[in-house]
Amino acid sequence: MNNSASENLNKKYVLEMKNVTKEFPGVKALSGVNLKVRPGTVHALMGENGAGKSTLMKCLFGIYHMDEGEIFLNGQKIEFQNSKQALDNGVSMVHQELNQVRQRNIIDNIWLGRYPEKGPFINEAKMYEDTLAIFKELGIDLNPRKKINTLSVSQMQMVEIAKAVSYDSKIIVMDEPTSSLTEKEVDHLFRIIDKLKKKNVGIIYISHKMEEILKISEDVTIMRDGQWIATKEAKELTTDLIINLMVGRDLSNRFPERLNEPKNVILEVKNISVNTQPKIQNVSFNLRKGEILGVAGLVGAKRTEVLEALFGMRKIQSGEVMLHGKKIENSHPQKSMQNGFALVTEERRVTGIFDRLPIDFNAVIANIGNYVGKTGLLSNKNIQKDTQWVIDSMRVKTPSQKTHIRSLSGGNQQKVIIGRWLLIKPEILMLDEPTRGIDVGAKFEIYQLMNNLAAEGKGIIMVSSEMAELLGVTDRIMVMSNGRLAGIVDTKKTNQEEIMRLSAMYL
Protein backbone atom coordinates (compact mmCIF):
# COMPACT_ATOMS: atom_id res chain seq x y z
CA MET A 1 0.00 0.00 0.00
CA ASN A 2 1.47 3.42 -0.98
CA ASN A 3 1.68 6.26 1.53
CA SER A 4 -1.18 8.34 0.13
CA ALA A 5 -3.55 5.37 0.12
CA SER A 6 -2.53 4.55 3.67
CA GLU A 7 -3.19 8.13 4.80
CA ASN A 8 -6.65 8.15 3.19
CA LEU A 9 -7.55 4.87 4.87
CA ASN A 10 -6.27 6.18 8.20
CA LYS A 11 -8.53 9.23 7.98
CA LYS A 12 -11.64 7.19 7.31
CA TYR A 13 -11.14 3.93 9.24
CA VAL A 14 -9.17 2.98 12.33
CA LEU A 15 -9.77 -0.69 11.48
CA GLU A 16 -10.56 -2.50 8.24
CA MET A 17 -11.02 -6.26 7.95
CA LYS A 18 -11.29 -7.48 4.34
CA ASN A 19 -12.63 -10.81 3.06
CA VAL A 20 -11.81 -12.69 6.27
CA THR A 21 -12.25 -16.46 5.92
CA LYS A 22 -11.74 -19.09 8.60
CA GLU A 23 -12.43 -22.82 8.45
CA PHE A 24 -12.46 -25.48 11.15
CA PRO A 25 -12.77 -29.24 10.51
CA GLY A 26 -16.27 -29.81 9.20
CA VAL A 27 -17.42 -26.17 9.26
CA LYS A 28 -16.67 -22.88 7.48
CA ALA A 29 -16.94 -20.41 10.35
CA LEU A 30 -16.26 -17.26 8.28
CA SER A 31 -16.61 -16.69 4.54
CA GLY A 32 -15.33 -13.42 3.08
CA VAL A 33 -16.41 -11.16 5.96
CA ASN A 34 -15.79 -7.39 5.87
CA LEU A 35 -15.77 -4.96 8.78
CA LYS A 36 -14.80 -1.26 8.72
CA VAL A 37 -14.67 0.80 11.93
CA ARG A 38 -14.43 4.59 11.95
CA PRO A 39 -12.41 6.28 14.72
CA GLY A 40 -14.47 7.79 17.52
CA THR A 41 -17.56 5.70 16.77
CA VAL A 42 -19.40 2.68 18.12
CA HIS A 43 -19.74 -0.04 15.48
CA ALA A 44 -22.23 -2.70 16.56
CA LEU A 45 -21.63 -6.27 15.42
CA MET A 46 -24.82 -8.34 15.42
CA GLY A 47 -25.97 -11.82 14.48
CA GLU A 48 -27.42 -14.99 15.92
CA ASN A 49 -25.25 -17.22 18.10
CA GLY A 50 -23.05 -19.14 15.69
CA ALA A 51 -23.11 -16.33 13.11
CA GLY A 52 -19.33 -15.92 13.43
CA LYS A 53 -19.04 -12.70 15.47
CA SER A 54 -16.71 -14.14 18.11
CA THR A 55 -14.65 -15.99 15.50
CA LEU A 56 -14.15 -12.75 13.56
CA MET A 57 -12.99 -10.96 16.72
CA LYS A 58 -10.65 -13.82 17.60
CA CYS A 59 -9.07 -13.46 14.15
CA LEU A 60 -8.55 -9.75 14.86
CA PHE A 61 -7.17 -10.47 18.32
CA GLY A 62 -4.65 -13.13 17.19
CA ILE A 63 -6.42 -16.01 18.93
CA TYR A 64 -7.28 -17.56 15.56
CA HIS A 65 -5.28 -17.18 12.35
CA MET A 66 -7.19 -16.35 9.17
CA ASP A 67 -7.15 -18.75 6.23
CA GLU A 68 -7.76 -15.79 3.90
CA GLY A 69 -8.19 -12.04 4.21
CA GLU A 70 -6.40 -8.88 5.34
CA ILE A 71 -6.57 -6.63 8.40
CA PHE A 72 -5.49 -2.96 8.50
CA LEU A 73 -5.06 -0.95 11.71
CA ASN A 74 -4.69 2.80 11.12
CA GLY A 75 -3.78 2.01 7.52
CA GLN A 76 -1.05 -0.49 8.37
CA LYS A 77 -1.50 -4.15 7.46
CA ILE A 78 -1.33 -6.35 10.56
CA GLU A 79 -1.84 -9.97 11.50
CA PHE A 80 -1.29 -10.55 15.20
CA GLN A 81 0.15 -13.92 16.18
CA ASN A 82 -1.28 -13.80 19.69
CA SER A 83 -3.38 -11.65 21.99
CA LYS A 84 -0.30 -10.01 23.58
CA GLN A 85 0.67 -8.55 20.22
CA ALA A 86 -2.88 -7.23 19.81
CA LEU A 87 -2.85 -5.59 23.24
CA ASP A 88 0.62 -4.10 22.73
CA ASN A 89 -0.62 -2.54 19.48
CA GLY A 90 -3.73 -1.00 21.00
CA VAL A 91 -6.42 -3.63 20.33
CA SER A 92 -8.26 -4.70 23.49
CA MET A 93 -11.20 -7.01 24.08
CA VAL A 94 -13.64 -7.11 27.00
CA HIS A 95 -14.96 -10.66 26.86
CA GLN A 96 -18.52 -11.62 27.78
CA GLU A 97 -17.27 -14.54 29.88
CA LEU A 98 -14.91 -12.78 32.27
CA ASN A 99 -11.57 -14.56 32.47
CA GLN A 100 -9.93 -13.08 35.55
CA VAL A 101 -7.56 -14.30 38.26
CA ARG A 102 -10.17 -14.30 41.00
CA GLN A 103 -7.83 -14.89 43.93
CA ARG A 104 -5.78 -11.79 43.09
CA ASN A 105 -6.70 -8.15 43.59
CA ILE A 106 -7.87 -5.59 41.03
CA ILE A 107 -4.39 -4.09 40.56
CA ASP A 108 -2.84 -7.47 39.71
CA ASN A 109 -5.61 -8.23 37.21
CA ILE A 110 -5.18 -4.92 35.40
CA TRP A 111 -1.37 -4.99 35.19
CA LEU A 112 -0.71 -8.75 35.02
CA GLY A 113 2.16 -9.52 32.66
CA ARG A 114 3.36 -5.90 32.49
CA TYR A 115 4.22 -4.93 36.05
CA PRO A 116 6.18 -1.65 36.22
CA GLU A 117 9.55 -2.07 37.87
CA LYS A 118 11.62 0.09 40.17
CA GLY A 119 15.08 -1.35 40.13
CA PRO A 120 14.85 -5.09 40.82
CA PHE A 121 11.39 -4.73 42.42
CA ILE A 122 7.84 -4.31 41.22
CA ASN A 123 6.68 -0.70 41.58
CA GLU A 124 3.45 -1.34 43.48
CA ALA A 125 2.95 2.34 44.30
CA LYS A 126 2.90 3.24 40.59
CA MET A 127 0.40 0.43 39.82
CA TYR A 128 -1.88 1.67 42.58
CA GLU A 129 -1.67 5.31 41.47
CA ASP A 130 -2.18 4.45 37.79
CA THR A 131 -5.19 2.28 38.65
CA LEU A 132 -6.73 5.06 40.70
CA ALA A 133 -6.15 7.50 37.83
CA ILE A 134 -7.99 5.22 35.37
CA PHE A 135 -10.82 4.67 37.83
CA LYS A 136 -11.13 8.43 38.36
CA GLU A 137 -11.19 9.02 34.60
CA LEU A 138 -13.93 6.41 34.13
CA GLY A 139 -15.88 7.22 37.28
CA ILE A 140 -15.36 3.79 38.86
CA ASP A 141 -15.65 3.73 42.65
CA LEU A 142 -13.69 0.64 43.74
CA ASN A 143 -10.75 -0.02 46.06
CA PRO A 144 -7.95 -1.24 43.73
CA ARG A 145 -6.71 -3.59 46.45
CA LYS A 146 -9.98 -5.54 46.67
CA LYS A 147 -9.82 -9.16 45.51
CA ILE A 148 -11.71 -9.96 42.32
CA ASN A 149 -13.67 -12.78 44.01
CA THR A 150 -15.28 -10.25 46.38
CA LEU A 151 -16.75 -8.21 43.50
CA SER A 152 -20.13 -8.50 41.85
CA VAL A 153 -20.28 -9.54 38.19
CA SER A 154 -20.98 -5.93 37.19
CA GLN A 155 -17.95 -4.68 39.15
CA MET A 156 -15.75 -7.33 37.53
CA GLN A 157 -17.00 -6.11 34.15
CA MET A 158 -15.96 -2.55 35.01
CA VAL A 159 -12.48 -3.78 35.98
CA GLU A 160 -12.13 -5.42 32.56
CA ILE A 161 -13.13 -2.20 30.82
CA ALA A 162 -10.57 -0.29 32.92
CA LYS A 163 -7.94 -2.85 31.92
CA ALA A 164 -8.75 -2.32 28.23
CA VAL A 165 -8.44 1.45 28.69
CA SER A 166 -5.08 0.98 30.44
CA TYR A 167 -3.57 -0.23 27.14
CA ASP A 168 -4.34 3.15 25.52
CA SER A 169 -6.30 1.20 22.94
CA LYS A 170 -7.24 2.39 19.46
CA ILE A 171 -9.86 -0.37 19.20
CA ILE A 172 -11.84 -1.84 22.10
CA VAL A 173 -14.10 -4.82 21.49
CA MET A 174 -16.95 -5.10 24.00
CA ASP A 175 -18.73 -8.47 23.94
CA GLU A 176 -22.17 -8.25 25.63
CA PRO A 177 -20.86 -5.63 28.11
CA THR A 178 -24.26 -4.89 29.67
CA SER A 179 -25.47 -8.46 30.12
CA SER A 180 -24.92 -8.30 33.91
CA LEU A 181 -25.40 -4.58 34.54
CA THR A 182 -28.27 -2.71 36.13
CA GLU A 183 -29.90 0.19 34.30
CA LYS A 184 -27.84 2.65 36.37
CA GLU A 185 -24.63 0.75 35.57
CA VAL A 186 -25.54 0.66 31.86
CA ASP A 187 -25.86 4.45 31.90
CA HIS A 188 -22.41 4.61 33.55
CA LEU A 189 -20.97 2.36 30.83
CA PHE A 190 -22.48 4.55 28.12
CA ARG A 191 -20.84 7.61 29.71
CA ILE A 192 -17.50 5.76 29.63
CA ILE A 193 -18.06 4.93 25.97
CA ASP A 194 -18.76 8.60 25.19
CA LYS A 195 -15.43 9.53 26.83
CA LEU A 196 -13.63 6.89 24.76
CA LYS A 197 -15.24 8.18 21.55
CA LYS A 198 -13.98 11.68 22.33
CA LYS A 199 -10.47 10.18 22.55
CA ASN A 200 -11.02 8.83 18.98
CA VAL A 201 -11.22 5.21 20.11
CA GLY A 202 -13.15 2.89 17.80
CA ILE A 203 -15.47 0.56 19.70
CA ILE A 204 -16.79 -2.74 18.33
CA TYR A 205 -19.90 -3.44 20.36
CA ILE A 206 -21.41 -6.94 20.37
CA SER A 207 -24.88 -7.14 21.86
CA HIS A 208 -28.25 -8.78 21.29
CA LYS A 209 -30.14 -5.91 22.93
CA MET A 210 -31.82 -4.12 20.04
CA GLU A 211 -32.83 -0.94 21.88
CA GLU A 212 -29.30 -0.62 23.27
CA ILE A 213 -27.73 -0.98 19.81
CA LEU A 214 -29.98 1.65 18.26
CA LYS A 215 -29.27 4.04 21.14
CA ILE A 216 -25.48 3.86 21.28
CA SER A 217 -24.20 2.88 17.81
CA GLU A 218 -23.27 4.92 14.77
CA ASP A 219 -22.84 1.90 12.46
CA VAL A 220 -24.17 -1.66 12.55
CA THR A 221 -22.79 -4.73 10.77
CA ILE A 222 -24.98 -7.83 10.68
CA MET A 223 -23.67 -11.37 10.13
CA ARG A 224 -25.47 -14.63 9.46
CA ASP A 225 -24.02 -18.16 9.11
CA GLY A 226 -20.44 -16.89 8.95
CA GLN A 227 -21.16 -14.34 6.22
CA TRP A 228 -21.45 -10.56 6.02
CA ILE A 229 -25.08 -9.61 5.43
CA ALA A 230 -25.20 -5.81 5.71
CA THR A 231 -23.57 -2.71 7.17
CA LYS A 232 -25.87 0.24 7.79
CA GLU A 233 -25.99 3.42 9.80
CA ALA A 234 -27.89 2.85 13.04
CA LYS A 235 -30.28 5.71 12.28
CA GLU A 236 -31.50 3.79 9.21
CA LEU A 237 -32.45 0.70 11.22
CA THR A 238 -35.40 -0.49 13.27
CA THR A 239 -35.66 -3.47 15.62
CA ASP A 240 -37.78 -5.40 13.11
CA LEU A 241 -35.30 -4.77 10.29
CA ILE A 242 -32.35 -5.88 12.41
CA ILE A 243 -34.14 -9.10 13.39
CA ASN A 244 -35.05 -9.81 9.78
CA LEU A 245 -31.45 -9.33 8.65
CA MET A 246 -30.08 -11.42 11.55
CA VAL A 247 -32.30 -14.47 11.23
CA GLY A 248 -33.41 -14.23 7.61
CA ARG A 249 -37.04 -14.44 8.61
CA ASP A 250 -39.67 -12.35 10.32
CA LEU A 251 -39.99 -12.73 14.08
CA SER A 252 -43.02 -10.59 14.76
CA ASN A 253 -43.75 -12.49 17.98
CA ARG A 254 -40.80 -12.45 20.40
CA PHE A 255 -42.44 -14.97 22.73
CA PRO A 256 -44.16 -18.27 21.86
CA GLU A 257 -47.82 -18.97 22.43
CA ARG A 258 -48.36 -20.23 25.97
CA LEU A 259 -49.27 -23.93 26.20
CA ASN A 260 -48.86 -24.65 29.90
CA GLU A 261 -51.61 -24.78 32.52
CA PRO A 262 -50.32 -24.51 36.12
CA LYS A 263 -51.93 -27.09 38.41
CA ASN A 264 -51.36 -28.26 41.98
CA VAL A 265 -48.55 -26.96 44.22
CA ILE A 266 -45.45 -29.21 44.11
CA LEU A 267 -42.90 -27.04 45.96
CA GLU A 268 -43.39 -24.93 49.09
CA VAL A 269 -40.63 -22.70 50.45
CA LYS A 270 -41.43 -21.47 53.95
CA ASN A 271 -39.56 -18.60 55.63
CA ILE A 272 -36.06 -19.63 54.54
CA SER A 273 -33.11 -17.54 55.69
CA VAL A 274 -29.53 -17.78 54.41
CA ASN A 275 -26.38 -16.11 55.75
CA THR A 276 -25.27 -14.00 52.80
CA GLN A 277 -24.33 -10.33 52.67
CA PRO A 278 -26.99 -9.00 52.84
CA LYS A 279 -28.90 -11.94 54.37
CA ILE A 280 -31.77 -13.73 52.72
CA GLN A 281 -34.55 -13.23 55.26
CA ASN A 282 -37.78 -15.19 55.64
CA VAL A 283 -38.46 -15.83 51.97
CA SER A 284 -41.64 -17.82 51.26
CA PHE A 285 -43.20 -18.89 47.96
CA ASN A 286 -44.65 -21.90 46.19
CA LEU A 287 -44.32 -23.44 42.74
CA ARG A 288 -47.04 -25.27 40.89
CA LYS A 289 -46.80 -28.16 38.49
CA GLY A 290 -46.59 -26.81 34.95
CA GLU A 291 -45.78 -23.27 36.10
CA ILE A 292 -43.04 -20.85 35.05
CA LEU A 293 -42.23 -18.68 38.06
CA GLY A 294 -40.05 -15.65 37.34
CA VAL A 295 -37.68 -14.06 39.86
CA ALA A 296 -37.10 -10.32 39.44
CA GLY A 297 -34.98 -7.83 41.34
CA LEU A 298 -32.03 -5.49 41.02
CA VAL A 299 -28.40 -6.63 41.14
CA GLY A 300 -27.70 -7.58 44.78
CA ALA A 301 -31.31 -8.57 45.48
CA LYS A 302 -30.12 -12.17 46.18
CA ARG A 303 -32.10 -13.84 43.39
CA THR A 304 -29.24 -16.19 42.45
CA GLU A 305 -28.58 -17.03 46.10
CA VAL A 306 -32.18 -18.24 46.56
CA LEU A 307 -31.72 -20.74 43.73
CA GLU A 308 -28.33 -21.81 45.08
CA ALA A 309 -29.88 -22.41 48.52
CA LEU A 310 -32.61 -24.59 47.01
CA PHE A 311 -29.96 -26.54 45.11
CA GLY A 312 -27.82 -27.22 48.18
CA MET A 313 -25.01 -24.84 47.23
CA ARG A 314 -25.77 -22.62 50.24
CA LYS A 315 -26.84 -23.69 53.72
CA ILE A 316 -30.39 -22.76 54.70
CA GLN A 317 -30.15 -21.46 58.27
CA SER A 318 -33.85 -21.59 59.08
CA GLY A 319 -37.16 -22.32 57.39
CA GLU A 320 -38.48 -25.34 55.48
CA VAL A 321 -38.62 -26.67 51.94
CA MET A 322 -41.55 -28.98 51.17
CA LEU A 323 -41.77 -31.16 48.07
CA HIS A 324 -45.21 -32.72 47.50
CA GLY A 325 -46.06 -31.87 51.11
CA LYS A 326 -43.00 -33.60 52.57
CA LYS A 327 -40.08 -31.79 54.15
CA ILE A 328 -36.80 -32.24 52.27
CA GLU A 329 -33.25 -31.13 52.97
CA ASN A 330 -31.15 -30.41 49.89
CA SER A 331 -27.91 -30.44 51.86
CA HIS A 332 -25.73 -30.59 48.74
CA PRO A 333 -26.25 -30.55 44.95
CA GLN A 334 -26.16 -34.36 44.62
CA LYS A 335 -28.99 -34.66 47.13
CA SER A 336 -30.91 -31.95 45.28
CA MET A 337 -30.58 -33.85 42.02
CA GLN A 338 -31.86 -37.00 43.71
CA ASN A 339 -34.87 -34.95 44.84
CA GLY A 340 -35.58 -33.89 41.25
CA PHE A 341 -33.96 -30.43 41.18
CA ALA A 342 -31.71 -29.07 38.40
CA LEU A 343 -29.92 -25.72 38.19
CA VAL A 344 -28.57 -23.94 35.11
CA THR A 345 -26.18 -21.35 36.56
CA GLU A 346 -25.66 -17.76 35.42
CA GLU A 347 -21.90 -17.95 34.88
CA ARG A 348 -21.49 -20.45 32.04
CA ARG A 349 -17.70 -20.43 31.92
CA VAL A 350 -17.10 -20.52 35.67
CA THR A 351 -19.82 -22.92 36.89
CA GLY A 352 -21.47 -24.31 33.77
CA ILE A 353 -19.08 -25.86 31.27
CA PHE A 354 -15.89 -27.90 31.27
CA ASP A 355 -14.40 -25.73 28.55
CA ARG A 356 -11.42 -27.91 27.66
CA LEU A 357 -13.56 -31.02 27.19
CA PRO A 358 -15.86 -32.09 24.33
CA ILE A 359 -19.59 -31.75 24.01
CA ASP A 360 -20.32 -35.39 24.85
CA PHE A 361 -18.64 -35.08 28.28
CA ASN A 362 -20.43 -31.80 28.99
CA ALA A 363 -23.78 -33.25 27.92
CA VAL A 364 -23.77 -36.34 30.15
CA ILE A 365 -21.66 -35.41 33.18
CA ALA A 366 -24.65 -34.69 35.47
CA ASN A 367 -26.05 -38.14 34.69
CA ILE A 368 -22.78 -40.05 34.46
CA GLY A 369 -23.76 -42.82 36.89
CA ASN A 370 -26.46 -44.03 34.49
CA TYR A 371 -23.85 -44.94 31.85
CA VAL A 372 -21.91 -47.40 34.01
CA GLY A 373 -22.55 -51.01 32.95
CA LYS A 374 -22.32 -54.22 34.95
CA THR A 375 -18.61 -54.41 34.20
CA GLY A 376 -18.07 -51.03 35.82
CA LEU A 377 -17.17 -49.45 32.48
CA LEU A 378 -18.93 -46.57 30.77
CA SER A 379 -21.23 -47.40 27.87
CA ASN A 380 -20.02 -45.25 24.97
CA LYS A 381 -23.04 -46.29 22.93
CA ASN A 382 -25.48 -44.83 25.46
CA ILE A 383 -23.35 -41.71 25.92
CA GLN A 384 -23.35 -41.13 22.16
CA LYS A 385 -27.10 -41.71 22.00
CA ASP A 386 -27.91 -39.21 24.75
CA THR A 387 -25.41 -36.65 23.47
CA GLN A 388 -27.04 -36.83 20.06
CA TRP A 389 -30.42 -36.31 21.74
CA VAL A 390 -29.08 -33.13 23.36
CA ILE A 391 -27.64 -31.89 20.05
CA ASP A 392 -30.83 -32.63 18.11
CA SER A 393 -33.44 -31.54 20.65
CA MET A 394 -31.56 -28.38 21.63
CA ARG A 395 -30.60 -27.61 18.01
CA VAL A 396 -26.93 -27.27 18.90
CA LYS A 397 -24.77 -26.11 15.99
CA THR A 398 -21.62 -28.26 16.10
CA PRO A 399 -19.48 -30.29 13.68
CA SER A 400 -19.49 -33.32 16.01
CA GLN A 401 -20.00 -34.65 19.53
CA LYS A 402 -16.23 -34.48 20.05
CA THR A 403 -15.99 -30.75 19.38
CA HIS A 404 -14.65 -28.90 22.44
CA ILE A 405 -17.50 -26.95 23.98
CA ARG A 406 -15.37 -23.80 24.31
CA SER A 407 -15.33 -23.51 20.49
CA LEU A 408 -19.13 -23.18 20.40
CA SER A 409 -20.94 -19.86 20.59
CA GLY A 410 -22.34 -18.81 23.96
CA GLY A 411 -25.88 -19.71 22.92
CA ASN A 412 -24.91 -23.19 21.80
CA GLN A 413 -22.98 -23.74 25.02
CA GLN A 414 -26.13 -22.80 26.94
CA LYS A 415 -28.21 -25.26 24.93
CA VAL A 416 -25.80 -28.08 25.81
CA ILE A 417 -26.04 -27.19 29.51
CA ILE A 418 -29.85 -27.16 29.47
CA GLY A 419 -29.86 -30.47 27.60
CA ARG A 420 -27.49 -31.91 30.21
CA TRP A 421 -29.94 -31.19 33.00
CA LEU A 422 -32.92 -32.46 31.04
CA LEU A 423 -31.20 -35.85 30.79
CA ILE A 424 -31.65 -36.32 34.55
CA LYS A 425 -35.40 -35.75 34.04
CA PRO A 426 -35.83 -33.11 36.77
CA GLU A 427 -39.20 -32.22 38.23
CA ILE A 428 -38.07 -28.69 39.14
CA LEU A 429 -35.82 -26.86 36.67
CA MET A 430 -34.15 -23.67 37.93
CA LEU A 431 -32.69 -21.32 35.32
CA ASP A 432 -30.48 -18.38 36.28
CA GLU A 433 -30.37 -15.82 33.44
CA PRO A 434 -30.87 -18.60 30.84
CA THR A 435 -30.81 -16.26 27.82
CA ARG A 436 -27.93 -14.04 28.92
CA GLY A 437 -25.83 -13.27 25.84
CA ILE A 438 -28.09 -15.25 23.52
CA ASP A 439 -29.43 -13.86 20.25
CA VAL A 440 -33.10 -13.23 19.53
CA GLY A 441 -33.59 -16.40 17.48
CA ALA A 442 -31.99 -18.67 20.09
CA LYS A 443 -33.94 -16.90 22.83
CA PHE A 444 -37.19 -17.84 21.14
CA GLU A 445 -36.03 -21.48 21.05
CA ILE A 446 -35.21 -21.38 24.78
CA TYR A 447 -38.62 -19.83 25.54
CA GLN A 448 -40.34 -22.49 23.45
CA LEU A 449 -38.41 -25.20 25.25
CA MET A 450 -39.43 -23.79 28.66
CA ASN A 451 -43.02 -23.58 27.49
CA ASN A 452 -43.00 -27.19 26.32
CA LEU A 453 -41.41 -28.41 29.56
CA ALA A 454 -44.02 -26.57 31.62
CA ALA A 455 -46.76 -28.07 29.43
CA GLU A 456 -45.32 -31.51 30.28
CA GLY A 457 -45.74 -30.71 33.99
CA LYS A 458 -42.28 -29.47 34.97
CA GLY A 459 -42.06 -26.67 37.51
CA ILE A 460 -39.70 -23.93 36.31
CA ILE A 461 -38.11 -21.10 38.29
CA MET A 462 -36.35 -18.49 36.15
CA VAL A 463 -34.20 -15.58 37.29
CA SER A 464 -33.97 -12.83 34.68
CA SER A 465 -32.82 -9.22 34.55
CA GLU A 466 -34.82 -8.59 31.37
CA MET A 467 -38.23 -7.23 32.28
CA ALA A 468 -39.75 -7.97 28.86
CA GLU A 469 -38.62 -11.58 29.18
CA LEU A 470 -40.24 -12.02 32.60
CA LEU A 471 -43.48 -10.47 31.38
CA GLY A 472 -43.41 -12.55 28.18
CA VAL A 473 -42.80 -16.08 29.44
CA THR A 474 -43.83 -16.43 33.10
CA ASP A 475 -47.10 -17.14 34.93
CA ARG A 476 -46.14 -15.32 38.13
CA ILE A 477 -43.20 -13.16 39.18
CA MET A 478 -41.67 -13.06 42.66
CA VAL A 479 -39.75 -9.86 43.29
CA MET A 480 -36.68 -9.81 45.55
CA SER A 481 -35.31 -6.66 47.19
CA ASN A 482 -32.12 -6.62 49.26
CA GLY A 483 -32.46 -10.26 50.36
CA ARG A 484 -36.18 -10.09 51.12
CA LEU A 485 -39.31 -11.04 49.25
CA ALA A 486 -41.04 -7.82 48.21
CA GLY A 487 -44.06 -9.45 46.61
CA ILE A 488 -45.42 -12.05 44.18
CA VAL A 489 -47.50 -10.79 41.25
CA ASP A 490 -49.65 -12.35 38.54
CA THR A 491 -47.82 -11.74 35.26
CA LYS A 492 -51.02 -11.00 33.36
CA LYS A 493 -52.02 -8.32 35.86
CA THR A 494 -48.71 -6.57 36.50
CA ASN A 495 -46.44 -4.14 34.64
CA GLN A 496 -42.84 -2.92 34.67
CA GLU A 497 -43.63 -0.02 36.99
CA GLU A 498 -45.03 -2.30 39.71
CA ILE A 499 -42.09 -4.68 39.47
CA MET A 500 -39.57 -1.82 39.70
CA ARG A 501 -41.40 -0.36 42.69
CA LEU A 502 -41.27 -3.72 44.49
CA SER A 503 -37.61 -4.17 43.54
CA ALA A 504 -36.74 -0.96 45.39
CA MET A 505 -38.92 -1.68 48.44
CA TYR A 506 -36.14 -2.59 50.92
CA LEU A 507 -33.26 -0.53 49.54
Side-chain angles (χ1 to χ4, degrees), residues 39-133:
T41 66
V42 174
H43 194 121
L45 184 58
M46 304 192 72
E48 291 190 272
N49 289 104
K53 306 183 299 295
S54 294
T55 303
L56 183 66
M57 291 300 97
K58 287 176 180 176
C59 287
L60 167 64
F61 208 56
I63 298 171
Y64 293 155
H65 300 296
M66 301 176 294
D67 296 321
E68 298 176 27
E70 296 178 304
I71 303 176
F72 296 89
L73 183 66
N74 279 335
Q76 300 297 314
K77 186 175 179 180
I78 54 97
E79 186 171 354
F80 302 130
Q81 299 303 304
N82 52 57
S83 57
K84 186 178 185 304
Q85 284 186 10
L87 290 165
D88 290 343
N89 284 276
V91 178
S92 298
M93 189 168 181
V94 179
H95 296 271
Q96 177 190 350
E97 303 291 351
L98 302 176
N99 193 16
Q100 296 166 311
V101 185
R102 298 192 172 213
Q103 297 302 318
R104 306 296 294 179
N105 64 24
I106 291 172
I107 297 173
D108 285 336
N109 274 270
I110 289 179
W111 303 103
L112 187 66
R114 54 193 177 119
Y115 292 140
E117 296 179 351
K118 189 175 184 180
F121 304 105
I122 293 172
N123 192 340
E124 295 188 6
K126 178 175 173 51
M127 285 196 298
Y128 180 77
E129 290 166 5
D130 288 350
T131 302
L132 278 181

Side-chain angles (χ1 to χ4, degrees), residues 164-226:
V165 170
S166 75
Y167 280 94
D168 195 24
S169 300
K170 305 176 187 73
I171 286 284
I172 298 179
V173 181
M174 296 186 178
D175 190 357
E176 296 287 351
T178 64
S179 60
S180 299
L181 305 187
T182 64
E183 187 174 342
K184 183 178 179 181
E185 289 163 339
V186 170
D187 289 340
H188 182 195
L189 173 66
F190 288 174
R191 289 196 297 272
I192 290 173
I193 288 174
D194 283 338
K195 291 179 181 179
L196 294 172
K197 286 165 61 176
K198 289 173 183 175
K199 292 174 65 176
N200 238 20
V201 176
I203 296 168
I204 301 173
Y205 194 94
I206 301 174
S207 177
H208 297 302
K209 297 181 179 180
M210 306 291 173
E211 296 82 3
E212 192 173 277
I213 289 295
L214 294 175
K215 178 179 180 180
I216 198 172
S217 305
E218 279 78 28
D219 303 305
V220 180
T221 288
I222 296 164
M223 296 177 63
R224 184 169 72 235
D225 297 328

Side-chain angles (χ1 to χ4, degrees), residues 347-365:
E347 289 283 317
R348 270 194 303 271
R349 173 162 293 194
V350 178
T351 56
I353 64 170
F354 297 86
D355 68 335
R356 296 183 180 276
L357 294 170
I359 291 171
D360 56 2
F361 179 91
N362 277 275
V364 304
I365 185 59

Side-chain angles (χ1 to χ4, degrees), residues 2 15 69 220 222 247 291 478-479:
N2 61 45
L15 173 72
V220 180
I222 296 164
V247 303
E291 179 181 34
M478 59 178 283
V479 186

